């Protein structure tokens, strides 16, 4: 009976340690996700800005003559 209780105590300790490890990993993954989303947002803003500048430049280009 004592051996069974000791084995159960050991398994409970392992499960508790695994839960703590998973909580830590989950927190790290959330931080990484937040950083990746921030990077994505910054890149999207840069692309939108570049697109706008290109559209402005394209609008300033002279029309090509039409050769018939």
């Amino acid at each position: 009976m004592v051996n069974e209780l000791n084995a159960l105590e050991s398994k409970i300790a392992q499960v508790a340690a695994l839960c703590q490890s998973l909580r830590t990993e989950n927190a790290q993954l959330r931080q990484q996700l937040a950083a990746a989303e921030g990077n994505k947002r910054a890149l999207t803003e840069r692309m939108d800005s570049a697109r706008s500048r290109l559209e402005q430049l394209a609008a300033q280009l002279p029309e090509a003559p039409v050769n018939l």
Side-chain angles (χ1 to χ4, degrees):
M1 179 74 172
V2 172
N3 286 340
E4 291 172 351
L5 289 176
N6 287 338
L8 182 58
E9 179 183 10
S10 175
K11 288 182 181 185
I12 290 172
Q14 288 176 347
V15 168
L18 178 60
C19 285
Q20 183 58 42
S21 173
L22 291 174
R23 282 190 182 116
T24 301
E25 182 181 4
N26 192 26
Q28 291 171 347
L29 290 171
R30 287 180 189 271
Q31 288 176 345
Q32 290 175 4
L33 178 60
E37 288 173 341
N39 288 339
K40 178 186 171 210
R41 192 169 29 258
L43 289 172
T44 299
E45 289 173 7
R46 287 180 60 194
M47 286 186 346
D48 289 343
S49 176
R51 181 182 302 111
S52 176
R53 288 192 310 256
L54 286 171
E55 288 172 353
Q56 289 173 357
L57 288 172
Q60 294 175 6
L61 291 174
E63 292 292 324
V66 178
N67 293 331
L68 296 177

